[in-house]
């Protein structure tokens, strides 16, 4: 049982979309945790059952508030709501100030997320845009897999590489282990440039993995933006997502890395 964190370095490459896509295709029971410190958008993007709106008051904010007294995995599960498509979602914060105010609560949240495995669920975390010393670093450090989502243009690649280099240090745990870390490129591969973007970013660290590529597919992305789509499984995004979900599920089941 494991935790997979999606994050971005700069801009809006599609981290939330990728997280929701992978959660929808995950081979085991999964809970989506919207932990973007800048404020979450999953509640606004996914309708609840029968088109109802998800209750944005439930979710991360009450968890971070009560985490000062410790947090059990069951409490985390109790804050999850079923969204359309069957995914269980812990809704995110509504304002960035809430993340900073709860700075001491992130380790307890992270421990509760790690403990969800005993209750039979994996966790897909939308960690949002990550700075060098992010407020939710404990959540990232305790993850089994960290996925940096980027576009394949030059600026996106440069920022991603810089951020991954910094994370190689800040993600190191006291026991010397690091989460499995890798890149997921969003963009249409053009003939000749192969997976250059992934290769350049992977140069940031000896063992930065390549978790694959998602195509630019506006219709597919809208599935994870609240739109009703007749056959989501036929979109290019969902079809490509299957290989990405499989690669991540396999990495999540593997061993952690020992820091060099
Ligand atoms: N693979 C994709 N193809 C086309 N559009 C995408 C794709 N992924 C995301 N988008 C669109 O890009 C915008 C930002 O996506 P989002 O997932 O919110 O990014 P982030 O979480 O990195 O800020 C949204 O409008 C989304 O629908
Ligand atoms: Mg996002």
């Amino acid at each position: 049982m494991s935790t997979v964190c999606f994050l971005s370095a700069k801009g809006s490459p599609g981290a939330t979309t990728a997280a929701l896509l992978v959660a929808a295709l995950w081979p085991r029971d999964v809970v989506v945790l919207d932990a973007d410190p800048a404020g979450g958008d999953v509640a606004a993007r996914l309708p609840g059952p029968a088109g109802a709106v998800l209750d944005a008051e439930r979710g991360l904010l009450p968890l971070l508030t009560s985490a000062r007294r410790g947090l059990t995995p069951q409490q985390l599960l109790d804050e999850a709501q079923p969204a359309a498509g069957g995914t269980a979602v812990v809704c995110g914060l509504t304002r960035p100030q809430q993340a900073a105010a709860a700075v001491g609560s992130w380790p307890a949240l992270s421990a509760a997320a790690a403990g969800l495995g005993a209750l039979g669920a994996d966790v897909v975390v939308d960690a949002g845009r990550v700075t060098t010393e992010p407020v939710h670093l404990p959540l990232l450090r305790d993850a089994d897999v960290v996925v940096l989502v980027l576009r394949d243009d030059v600026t996106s690649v440069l920022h991603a590489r810089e951020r991954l280099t910094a994370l190689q240090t800040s993600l190191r745990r006291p026991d010397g282990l690091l989460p499995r870390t890798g890149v997921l490129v969003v963009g249409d591969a053009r003939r000749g440039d192969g997976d250059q973007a992934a290769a350049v970013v992977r140069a940031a660290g000896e063992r930065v993995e390549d978790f694959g590529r998602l195509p630019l597919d506006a219709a597919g992305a809208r599935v994870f933006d609240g739109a009703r789509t007749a056959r989501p499984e036929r979109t290019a995004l969902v079809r490509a997502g299957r290989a990405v979900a499989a690669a991540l599920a396999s990495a999540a089941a593997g061993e952690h890395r020992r820091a060099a």
Side-chain angles (χ1 to χ4, degrees):
M1 300 296 166
S2 35
T3 304
V4 181
C5 272
F6 287 80
L7 55 92
S8 63
K10 195 164 190 274
S12 205
T16 299
T17 304
L20 295 176
L21 169 72
V22 166
L25 299 170
W26 198 246
R28 299 183 285 270
D29 281 351
V30 70
V31 175
V32 172
L33 173 59
D34 184 348
D36 185 340
D41 48 8
V42 174
R45 289 168 61 153
L46 287 190
V53 179
L54 292 180
D55 180 359
E57 300 293 313
R58 273 178 69 190
L60 189 55
L61 184 58
L63 284 171
L64 288 176
T65 307
S66 53
R68 294 189 192 110
R69 298 182 295 277
L71 208 58
T72 63
Q74 185 61 50
Q75 278 174 287
L76 204 140
L77 213 52
D78 290 345
E79 285 298 330
Q81 306 173 57
T87 311
V89 177
V90 175
C91 293
L93 302 174
T94 50
R95 291 193 305 278
Q97 298 90 309
Q98 294 168 336
V103 66
S105 299
W106 293 93
L109 179 77
S110 173
L116 260 190
L119 301 180
D122 289 338
V123 189
V124 165
V125 179
D126 179 359
R129 200 175 300 166
V130 164
T131 54
T132 339
E133 286 294 332
V135 63
H136 57 342
L137 186 62
L139 196 56
L140 300 170
R141 197 187 276 147
D142 290 345
D144 298 286
V145 182
V146 168
V147 188
L148 181 79
V149 181
L150 70 144
R151 295 277 170 123
D152 60 359
D153 55 81
V154 174
T155 46
S156 208
V157 167
L158 292 179
H159 288 293
R161 188 172 62 176
E162 177 278 323
R163 204 54 42 86
L164 261 185
T165 306
L167 283 172
Q168 297 294 302
T169 308
S170 51
L171 290 181
R172 188 170 304 177
R173 296 192 284 244
D175 60 6
L177 293 179
L178 285 166
R180 303 267 300 247
T181 306
V183 292
L184 174 60
V185 179
V186 177
D188 294 322
R190 288 171 294 272
R191 203 180 324 165
D193 74 355
D195 272 305
Q196 224 174 354
V200 172
V201 181
R202 288 177 66 202
E206 210 182 310
R207 291 169 66 188
V208 176
E209 299 178 53
D210 185 355
F211 293 131
R213 182 180 273 270
L214 293 173
L216 287 177
D217 172 20
R222 276 197 294 274
V223 174
F224 304 96
D225 222 343
R228 277 171 185 267
T229 310
R231 307 288 295 266
E233 68 280 8
R234 290 198 178 175
T235 62
L237 189 64
V238 174
R239 282 189 277 126
R242 293 189 195 287
V244 173
L248 290 172
S250 142
E255 292 192 352
H256 288 197
R257 299 159 49 205
R258 183 152 295 282

